[in-house]
Amino acid sequence: MLPYARFLLPAACALLLASCGGAPKKAGRPKTQSKSSAGRSGNAAAGDHALIAAAERQSSGKARAVLEQARKMTLFERVIVKGGCWDYLDLVFTRAGVPRNSRQTVHKGSLKGGPYADSSQIRPGDWLYYVNHDYRGNEHSGLFVGWVDEARRQGLVLSYAGENRREPARYKVYDLRSVYTIIRAP
């Protein structure tokens, strides 16, 4: 074992357990760093690629631009943003031509009390705030791509952990029973 490995493993575990959490920020520009991986598919599984492509094909206008920009930043540029999930998605929407003052809140509830959105309200390209049931019930936000199993409320989401992990965003299946806010490109 390398002499420093016993110190790195606990530090790495602590970073992995950190949550995105936190309230949305209202001002300031996130700092970015791009990791080039042109031609690499990054973190999405083969089945996810089909769902990502279908979401883009079936969307139009600004929603399509958001989905395309998210895919580009995630899978090809591997952008790292200083901050958390809010900062990353704010940058995705901004780069896709959707400034803060044009985003529409189409459902508004609260973390603990809801009301939670019905699955029929959620569209590809929506910015969702939801209870992360897989991570101690903390709040999280992500970009909705599509339903993996709508009946069980399992959806593919572009998720950014942030918290100084220095990892790009990733596509991951989340339990979306408790979506309390939906923000949409006009």
Side-chain angles (χ1 to χ4, degrees):
M1 180 185 257
L2 296 171
Y4 53 84
R6 65 184 172 156
F7 299 108
L8 290 178
L9 185 57
C13 290
L15 285 174
L16 288 173
L17 292 175
S19 167
C20 164
K25 297 175 185 170
K26 299 293 181 194
R29 282 189 62 123
K31 295 180 183 173
T32 64
Q33 176 183 351
S34 206
K35 287 186 176 180
S36 179
S37 64
R40 237 181 103 195
S41 64
N43 54 18
D48 296 341
H49 287 290
L51 191 53
I52 294 164
E56 288 180 20
R57 272 193 318 274
Q58 294 167 5
S59 297
S60 61
K62 293 294 185 182
R64 177 181 277 178
V66 167
L67 289 163
E68 290 172 347
Q69 183 63 47
R71 179 178 46 81
K72 179 181 170 188
M73 287 173 58
T74 301
L75 299 180
F76 297 102
E77 296 174 356
R78 299 179 53 79
V79 171
I80 306 293
V81 174
K82 184 176 181 179
C85 51
W86 187 93
D87 300 288
Y88 191 86
L89 291 177
D90 179 58
L91 185 61
V92 168
F93 270 65
T94 300
R95 284 188 178 181
V98 185
R100 292 177 188 160
N101 62 356
S102 73
R103 300 169 192 169
Q104 300 171 346
T105 301
V106 296
H107 179 87
K108 182 71 174 158
S110 67
L111 174 69
K112 298 200 189 278
Y116 300 120
D118 185 77
S119 64
S120 65
Q121 294 177 274
I122 302 170
R123 298 181 190 165
D126 283 350
W127 182 343
L128 307 179
Y129 283 82
Y130 51 94
V131 176
N132 187 349
H133 295 288
D134 295 332
Y135 191 74
R136 299 185 295 197
N138 288 336
E139 69 178 333
H140 192 43
S141 68
L143 184 70
F144 181 74
V145 176
W147 292 109
V148 173
D149 183 343
E150 188 173 356
R152 292 183 47 226
R153 302 290 296 262
Q154 302 293 305
L156 185 64
V157 173
L158 175 73
S159 174
Y160 186 73
E163 299 298 327
N164 297 317
R165 292 187 200 182
R166 311 220 20 95
E167 297 172 5
R170 62 185 176 176
Y171 291 93
K172 182 179 174 189
V173 176
Y174 278 92
D175 175 345
L176 297 176
R177 287 176 290 147
S178 305
V179 173
Y180 60 91
T181 300
I182 302 171
I183 298 170
R184 187 170 291 153

